[in-house]
Amino acid sequence: MQGRDIIFFDLDGTLTDSKEGIFNSIRYALNFFDIEETDDEKLSLFLGPPLVQAFMKYYQMSEENAELALVKYRENFVKKGIYQLSMYDGIDQMLKALKENQMTVCLATSKPLKFAEQIVKRIGIAPYFDYLAGATMDETRNEKADIIDYVITQNGFHKDRILMVGDRENDVKGAHQNHVEVLGVLYGYGSRRELETAGCIHFAKTVAETKSFILQ
């Protein structure tokens, strides 16, 4: 997008397909409470929003139990889930092209930064990022709007130069709360309807379309 040379990327569903590791870790947490969940559609509701809120909303957990569920989730995720993902085809080439065009590339994910750093290093795309930001382990910063604001504040970025790229409504709403333009990718976990309802007007069906939109 013309004039937008600072690109913020979401991680899950935008750069990586991490559904397997996330679902397995949610099931691990639910099993601790003797809840067996076989419906992937219900688990897909966890792809995007903060996990404590999701456990409270979708499984009617108290805040105390939701916090414990998060601990159990991370227990499995750090051992197994973090390895159960793959990078979408073309992501590395896209990031390389953005850097070759002197763009600033940042990660703005609701995943804890500790895990996000390990993931981008392991799949080989860490060198393309100028700045990495994620949620805090104590959940004091986990909303996408707060994470986007944190990146802007820490780097002194001008908002009219930023484009947020993500696949869920929280990416769209978080960007708009910060008065930042957003591109919704349709190859991830969110539907076009979800993104449109959140206020998204720019879309890309593939990684190739995402790359072209950013560089146009």
Side-chain angles (χ1 to χ4, degrees):
M1 174 177 282
Q2 189 172 7
R4 310 279 173 171
D5 61 350
I6 302 172
I7 315 301
F8 288 11
F9 283 101
D10 172 50
L11 182 59
D12 298 321
T14 301
L15 300 178
T16 61
D17 182 359
S18 46
K19 188 186 299 183
E20 180 184 358
I22 293 173
F23 282 11
N24 288 341
S25 297
I26 295 170
R27 287 193 170 100
Y28 178 88
L30 293 174
N31 287 341
F32 179 80
F33 294 93
D34 296 320
I35 301 172
E36 183 177 352
E37 183 58 76
T38 59
D39 185 359
D40 282 358
E41 286 297 316
K42 188 166 185 180
L43 295 183
S44 68
L45 298 172
F46 283 74
L47 298 169
L51 293 177
V52 169
Q53 295 178 17
F55 281 120
M56 293 173 67
K57 181 176 181 179
Y58 302 119
Y59 289 94
Q60 294 74 55
M61 289 187 182
S62 65
E63 185 173 356
E64 181 180 2
N65 280 347
E67 293 282 358
L68 179 55
L70 176 63
V71 171
K72 302 307 292 185
Y73 171 92
R74 288 175 174 171
E75 183 178 298
N76 185 80
F77 189 80
V78 73
K79 293 179 181 178
K80 299 178 180 180
I82 199 169
Y83 303 107
Q84 297 170 329
L85 57 82
S86 60
M87 181 168 57
Y88 289 116
D89 289 342
I91 290 295
D92 49 350
Q93 294 96 324
M94 175 183 68
L95 294 175
K96 183 174 184 288
L98 300 190
K99 295 310 298 177
E100 288 175 344
N101 280 270
Q102 288 77 53
M103 291 191 166
T104 298
V105 179
C106 302
L107 186 71
T109 175
S110 295
K111 186 182 292 300
L113 179 60
K114 175 181 177 180
F115 298 148
E117 287 177 330
Q118 294 178 51
I119 289 169
V120 297
K121 287 178 182 176
R122 188 170 65 81
I123 63 179
I125 59 174
Y128 297 121
F129 288 94
D130 297 284
Y131 194 82
L132 301 174
T136 53
M137 292 296 284
D138 63 3
E139 297 287 290
T140 55
R141 185 178 68 242
N142 60 7
E143 295 286 353
K144 185 55 68 79
D146 294 334
I147 293 164
I148 292 172
D149 176 69
Y150 180 78
V151 181
I152 294 170
T153 302
Q154 290 296 305
N155 293 277
F157 291 145
H158 292 288
K159 295 182 179 181
D160 59 0
R161 294 177 57 193
I162 300 169
L163 176 68
M164 176 71 209
V165 182
D167 69 310
R168 299 304 304 266
E169 63 177 359
N170 61 312
D171 297 308
V172 178
K173 292 178 179 178
H176 287 170
Q177 287 176 46
N178 283 283
H179 308 289
V180 166
E181 191 57 82
V182 60
L183 171 67
V185 299
L186 300 177
Y187 55 81
Y189 304 137
S191 66
R192 186 184 185 100
R193 181 176 181 179
E194 173 189 326
L195 295 172
E196 284 181 333
T197 300
C200 188
I201 59 173
H202 303 294
F203 301 93
K205 295 179 181 178
T206 64
V207 174
E209 283 189 14
T210 302
K211 174 184 172 182
S212 296
F213 183 90
I214 297 171
L215 292 175
Q216 70 182 1

